[in-house]
Amino acid sequence: MKQRFGRVRAVLTVLVVWGVLAGGGLAGGPAATAATTVQRFDAVAVAPGVEYGEFRMTVPRGIVHGHLLTVDLADPRVTVDLLYPGVVGARAPVSQLAVARGAVAAVNGDFFHITETQHPGVEATGAPVGPAVTAGRQLKAAVPDGQRFGPAMPPGATTEDVIGVGHDRRARLDRLTLRGAVLTPGGVLPLRGLNQYALPVDGIGAYTARWGPASRVRATCGTDIDRTAPCSTETAEVTVRYGRVWALDARPGTGGVAAGSVVLVGREAGARQLRALRIGEPVTVGYRLVGRYPVPLRFAVGGFPIVRDAEPVAGLDAVTVAVRTSAGIGPGGRLLYLMALDGAPGQGQTGLTVRELAELMERLGARDAMNLDGGGSSTLVTGDGVGQVVVRNHPSGGAERPVPNAVGVFSFG
């Protein structure tokens, strides 16, 4: 895979002097007290309706180098969709995801189940934290807030928060809540999960062919408020095939879910309810993700809000500095901004706090913005016009980290 790092060769350089970015200190260090400068280089067209540019920020503790995609959703040739490796419980580099779908640009997406040190013998699934929607298909729901990976969310945020684009071609922040039920001969059982690596205590979750072959054991570990809590000792798994109970097991299993089948995993009270089922009984599983707006989302990816109505969200972390990725929305939902910072390959280069990230996105033009996964996951790629995909930023690990999903940009001009 061809990669190129470094500056965009710009004809015009714009220097903008900003005010103080609140809370700009290193972890445990002092807050920034001097003016912050941002040097933006002129953008270049990646494809019709899609532009790419770079910027350099000077903060008191060093230099921040960033990469920005500007996507014109008002252009009928442009669409945005979720990129993922074909199943929820899997990972791949952003460049690979972009090539597989023919995207002209992409940036990494949601936080994910990256490690499983708290529960020896339990596999990490690689599955994302929040809801996911691609091409109008609802892939998964959100894990409980206490089971998430990533930096602390601000007050009022939840794992159900997403950024997406509706069937009206307008981008928006939204919140997708799972509504579902399992209809059995003994009554209706509430469905509390869909293709997710962690289920609520006492809950039942559904796993479809879109989950993939990843183990379902992790779904019964931890609690709604403590990701590190022990795995439940009271579990059950039921395979429903073509509308009837096909198999019953005491523990969640591994391996892909066959077409025409749904695997139900229960813990505590949910496990007791599933154990009442018998082979051959009719069972119907129904579910949908419900947003707060009348127009459904055609694409959605999880994260947490950092800007609303052109103002940083209250309670953002103003201490911890890291490499960041963000997606922002311009006025009217017609512009989408996708931004990733460089890692820190050289002395004097630094990242941003979440508060600083919010300030940056607002000044780049976003009225609303979402914090996506950062650190070693931060990756922004574009096509180079000759069939290759170029990694535009410096991933902090020296190479792309495999991720569960990405925001893909398509242009058919």
Side-chain angles (χ1 to χ4, degrees), residues 45-114:
V46 172
V50 184
E51 292 187 340
Y52 161 72
E54 296 183 51
F55 63 86
R56 180 173 294 133
M57 252 173 103
T58 303
V59 295
R61 61 180 177 272
I63 301 295
V64 179
H65 191 197
H67 303 257
L68 179 69
L69 290 167
T70 304
V71 183
D72 183 5
L73 297 175
D75 190 324
R77 298 168 293 183
V78 175
T79 61
V80 177
D81 201 5
L82 188 78
L83 306 179
Y84 73 113
V87 295
V88 170
R91 297 192 290 155
V94 174
S95 60
Q96 182 177 317
L97 295 174
V99 168
R101 285 281 305 277
V104 299
V107 70
N108 65 285
D110 199 359
F111 301 93
F112 61 95
H113 182 203
I114 189 172

Side-chain angles (χ1 to χ4, degrees), residues 26 74 103 114 131 203 206 217 220 234 286 293 303-304 306 317 335 345 351 380 402:
L26 290 163
I114 189 172
V217 172
T220 59
E234 193 172 10
Y293 299 88
F304 62 83
I306 57 173
D317 177 18
L335 284 179
L380 187 149

Side-chain angles (χ1 to χ4, degrees), residues 268-310:
E268 297 88 32
R272 294 191 292 272
Q273 291 169 323
L274 292 182
R275 283 200 294 268
L277 297 173
R278 297 292 178 261
I279 298 291
E281 287 186 328
V283 171
T284 300
V285 182
Y287 55 82
R288 63 191 180 106
L289 297 175
V290 179
R292 295 183 165 186
Y293 299 88
V295 178
L297 289 172
R298 187 181 182 277
F299 143 75
V301 67
F304 62 83
I306 57 173
V307 178
R308 287 190 185 274
D309 299 323

Side-chain angles (χ1 to χ4, degrees), residues 94 107-109 322-326 339-343 371-381 391 393-397 399-401 403:
V94 174
V107 70
N108 65 285
V323 178
R324 309 283 182 187
T325 300
S326 182
M339 192 283 302
L341 299 181
D342 270 338
N371 184 35
L372 302 176
D373 192 12
S377 297
S378 286
T379 309
L380 187 149
V381 307
V391 180
N393 70 325
H394 290 86
S396 60
E400 291 183 80
R401 171 189 285 171
V403 295

